[in-house]
Amino acid sequence: MSKITIPARKGKAAFVAKGQTIKVINTHGQQVVDTWAFNRADLTEFMSMEHSRAQILKIIPAPGDAMLTNHRRPILTFLEDNSGGIHDTLMAACDRYRYEELGCTTHHDNCTDNLAQGLAELGLAPPETPSPLNLFMNIPWTADGSLSFEPPVSTPGCFIRLRAVMDLVIAFSACPQDILPINGRTGKPTEAHFAIEI
Amino acid sequence: MSKITIPARKGKAAFVAKGQTIKVINTHGQQVVDTWAFNRADLTEFMSMEHSRAQILKIIPAPGDAMLTNHRRPILTFLEDNSGGIHDTLMAACDRYRYEELGCTTHHDNCTDNLAQGLAELGLAPPETPSPLNLFMNIPWTADGSLSFEPPVSTPGCFIRLRAVMDLVIAFSACPQDILPINGRTGKPTEAHFAIEI
């Protein structure tokens, strides 16, 4: 198994064949990894949070669940998760508008641009920015539907394992959010890793 | 105030000027109304559930809340709601794939096509199908994040009122779902109405 680095604050994408598994490792333990998957044969079909929630009938997927595309076909199945099971399907990827709103007056790395950058390294472009599967991101909800941004509960070296249900392009962003505590209270985004296995 | 019909099982769209209000009426009380809003000057900027949730920090918007676009700008504010306050931001619009999955072998009306049809009547086309604001749709969640599709809690003639924060195109679909009880246990989708006010 050869590990591929998702550089701190940046994106990385890769081709995955149907049947292969993808291990996503929270190397330093407190890093949110925004995740997207696109049908290799037609990038306009992609993993969709709003279609997946309607199928799994859960806010957060867990081992045994299949994530669906916007054509309601399984694209990734959750096989294994030793991270504590806290991920997010509710929040948009951060983007330049988010950092402008948070007071940034110059460029700030962001997950939306990282998706485009990761795909561009493969000679591809996203047809749009789907709402991401935010691995290790901690967005608790209350009975009345209030949401909050909280530090991850995951620990160094924890991982999740996914299986590709079709030939796909997987894209990750090591979220560069260093203003809110979503990547831990130290405000230091780190690298993460993934590995594609047989 | 002149009421516009959203025909049962179909879509309807309209131009709304900045500052105008839109009253959306659940005429027969049990009808889900999928709702989208697009910036009139640039349809690639549109109301986004995943961006709105990150701003309002709630699963369901309520009077006083502003819904954001995918550029994180307010597009619609919630002014008034006498429907019981139960709406949905979690589920994708129904589409032909959904009805195929539910066993339909011939065409079934669906909210995704209704968005396109409503905009087409104005000479427009949606750049994509954003996740909709599902007015009057009842998707309760539990502490562990389980979701379910339930009948509306709204009653005949109840309404919500929204204000346009920019010149926009509003689009509605009277959801044609007659297999799940999301439009009431009778399985009879109905018309709904809206009115654009000064």
Side-chain angles (χ1 to χ4, degrees):
Chain A
M1 179 186 92
S2 127
K3 285 199 296 189
I4 300 166
T5 300
I6 311 164
R9 314 176 68 94
K10 296 295 180 185
K12 190 76 184 173
F15 296 111
V16 186
K18 178 179 175 175
Q20 287 185 316
T21 63
I22 309 142
K23 183 176 180 180
V24 189
I25 306 154
N26 201 338
T27 314
H28 302 284
Q30 294 281 289
Q31 181 59 49
V32 167
V33 179
D34 283 36
T35 302
W36 296 267
F38 299 83
N39 176 354
R40 177 70 187 91
D42 172 9
L43 297 187
T44 69
E45 181 178 10
F46 46 76
M47 179 168 68
S48 164
M49 296 307 104
E50 56 266 30
H51 291 80
S52 296
R53 283 187 300 258
Q55 172 68 20
I56 66 177
L57 296 174
K58 296 177 190 173
I59 295 177
I60 303 179
D65 290 330
M67 302 301 286
L68 296 196
T69 69
N70 54 333
H71 294 191
R72 306 214 189 228
R73 299 199 303 157
I75 185 166
L76 285 172
T77 50
F78 255 71
L79 296 182
E80 195 178 353
D81 181 354
N82 69 7
S83 73
I86 299 300
H87 310 288
D88 170 66
T89 68
L90 300 178
M91 297 305 187
C94 63
D95 46 35
R96 67 184 181 89
Y97 310 107
R98 178 60 155 165
Y99 292 104
E100 287 167 10
E101 182 187 83
L102 288 169
C104 296
T105 53
T106 56
H107 172 79
H108 191 291
D109 290 323
N110 62 80
C111 289
T112 298
D113 288 352
N114 287 349
L115 165 62
Q117 165 246 317
L119 289 191
E121 289 173 9
L122 302 179
L124 303 172
E128 60 185 81
T129 303
S131 200
L133 172 59
N134 296 309
L135 293 174
F136 315 114
M137 183 159 159
N138 184 9
I139 305 287
W141 57 88
T142 64
D144 72 357
S146 295
L147 302 169
S148 59
F149 286 79
E150 302 295 339
V153 301
S154 43
T155 52
C158 72
F159 62 86
I160 64 135
R161 190 175 268 123
L162 304 164
R163 186 183 302 282
V165 186
M166 62 177 74
D167 290 345
L168 58 83
V169 186
I170 193 106
F172 299 107
S173 169
C175 177
Q177 177 58 268
D178 50 9
I179 302 172
L180 300 177
I182 201 70
N183 292 307
R185 297 208 184 278
T186 61
K188 297 249 185 272
T190 63
E191 65 184 353
H193 292 86
F194 68 102
I196 299 170
E197 303 169 327
I198 303 303
Chain B
M1 178 187 90
S2 129
K3 284 199 295 189
I4 301 167
T5 301
I6 311 164
R9 312 176 70 93
K10 296 294 179 186
K12 188 76 184 173
F15 297 111
V16 186
K18 177 179 175 176
Q20 286 185 315
T21 63
I22 309 142
K23 183 176 179 180
V24 189
I25 306 155
N26 202 337
T27 314
H28 302 284
Q30 294 280 289
Q31 181 59 49
V32 167
V33 180
D34 283 37
T35 301
W36 295 266
F38 299 84
N39 176 354
R40 177 71 187 94
D42 172 9
L43 297 187
T44 68
E45 182 178 11
F46 47 76
M47 179 168 67
S48 164
M49 296 306 104
E50 56 265 29
H51 291 80
S52 296
R53 284 188 298 259
Q55 172 68 21
I56 66 177
L57 296 174
K58 295 176 190 174
I59 295 177
I60 303 179
D65 290 330
M67 302 302 285
L68 297 196
T69 69
N70 55 334
H71 294 192
R72 307 214 189 229
R73 299 198 304 156
I75 185 165
L76 284 173
T77 50
F78 255 70
L79 296 181
E80 195 177 353
D81 182 353
N82 68 7
S83 74
I86 299 299
H87 310 287
D88 171 65
T89 69
L90 299 178
M91 297 304 186
C94 62
D95 46 36
R96 66 185 183 88
Y97 310 107
R98 177 61 154 167
Y99 292 105
E100 287 167 8
E101 182 187 82
L102 288 169
C104 296
T105 53
T106 57
H107 172 79
H108 191 291
D109 291 322
N110 63 79
C111 289
T112 298
D113 288 352
N114 286 350
L115 165 63
Q117 164 247 317
L119 289 191
E121 289 174 9
L122 302 180
L124 302 172
E128 60 185 84
T129 302
S131 201
L133 172 60
N134 296 310
L135 293 175
F136 315 115
M137 183 161 160
N138 185 8
I139 305 287
W141 58 88
T142 63
D144 72 356
S146 294
L147 302 169
S148 59
F149 286 79
E150 303 294 340
V153 301
S154 42
T155 52
C158 72
F159 62 86
I160 64 135
R161 190 174 266 122
L162 304 164
R163 185 183 302 283
V165 186
M166 62 176 75
D167 290 345
L168 58 83
V169 186
I170 194 105
F172 299 107
S173 169
C175 178
Q177 176 60 266
D178 50 10
I179 301 171
L180 300 177
I182 201 71
N183 293 307
R185 296 207 184 278
T186 62
K188 297 249 185 271
T190 63
E191 63 183 355
H193 292 85
F194 69 101
I196 298 169
E197 303 169 326
I198 304 302

